[in-house]
Amino acid sequence: MRAPGWIRTSGLGLDTSHFDRRRSHRVVESPPLPFGHQPKPGSSSGLSIAARWFLDRGYNVSVPLEPAPYDLITESDRGLMRVQVKTTSKVGRNGRCVVRIARKLYDPTVPKNALGSYRMVPYEATDVDLFFVITAAGPIYLVPIESVTGSISLVLDEKYRAFAVDG
């Protein structure tokens, strides 16, 4: 039996006691983590999911510091692209995902309603290049603005299947 405080050393005089196998197999007790909520599809993590999608493919991502009509800028094989991130958990009557791709624009001439003095307007090609759409059902869509110009919402059915990408 070794005396308390005994330190095993290598031939170089280095402390090797932390390599003791008997100590490394002890189970470490952990208190319960304070994060019991389950993930919520269509939640506020959309920007992080989009950034990771581009980063995992080797494209750098930037997030604007000031308010902008896009959520991020990413490199692409065709240069920089402005990306608006949208998430949805809404399913229409036909069982297909529905996503709103309009933005709120302040307009003091609009009679106050549920939005206040804002109105919903479609994005334009001068605002964004792509929509990165995350659905609760799982598919992710990269939809170019040219394919949805003037739209305020999309029903993600067969018409948009070509824009679905691997998550």
Side-chain angles (χ1 to χ4, degrees):
M1 185 165 150
R2 298 184 177 117
W6 182 84
I7 297 175
R8 183 174 14 149
T9 58
S10 68
L12 299 174
L14 301 173
D15 175 9
T16 60
S17 61
H18 58 282
F19 293 131
D20 186 349
R21 289 182 187 259
R22 291 171 292 181
R23 295 177 63 197
S24 67
H25 292 298
R26 282 190 280 161
V27 175
V28 177
E29 297 295 326
S30 171
L33 293 176
F35 304 103
H37 294 170
Q38 293 301 310
K40 296 178 185 174
S43 68
S44 58
S45 61
L47 181 62
S48 299
I49 292 168
R52 180 178 178 187
W53 191 91
F54 292 111
L55 289 167
D56 283 352
R57 286 154 180 78
Y59 299 105
N60 287 321
V61 173
S62 298
V63 177
L65 294 177
E66 297 292 329
Y70 50 85
D71 290 321
L72 60 87
I73 296 174
T74 185
E75 295 175 334
S76 79
D77 297 340
R78 292 184 279 165
L80 297 178
M81 303 202 80
R82 300 162 298 169
V83 180
Q84 175 55 231
V85 179
K86 298 294 183 183
T87 62
T88 184
S89 58
K90 185 177 179 183
V91 177
R93 285 174 274 151
N94 58 7
R96 294 179 177 95
C97 289
V98 178
V99 61
R100 184 167 49 182
I101 60 167
R103 63 188 175 115
K104 288 195 299 189
L105 183 68
Y106 178 73
D107 185 349
T109 65
V110 172
K112 288 201 180 213
N113 57 27
L115 296 173
S117 293
Y118 290 84
R119 60 188 171 100
M120 300 306 289
V121 296
Y123 285 89
E124 298 176 13
T126 55
D127 299 323
V128 300
D129 300 305
L130 282 174
F131 289 98
F132 187 96
V133 181
I134 303 162
T135 65
I140 292 174
Y141 296 82
L142 276 179
V143 183
I145 186 71
E146 297 84 21
S147 299
V148 294
T149 300
S151 299
I152 61 170
S153 66
L154 305 177
V155 177
L156 298 170
D157 55 13
E158 296 300 316
K159 180 177 175 183
Y160 295 100
R161 177 175 281 191
F163 302 112
V165 296
D166 294 333

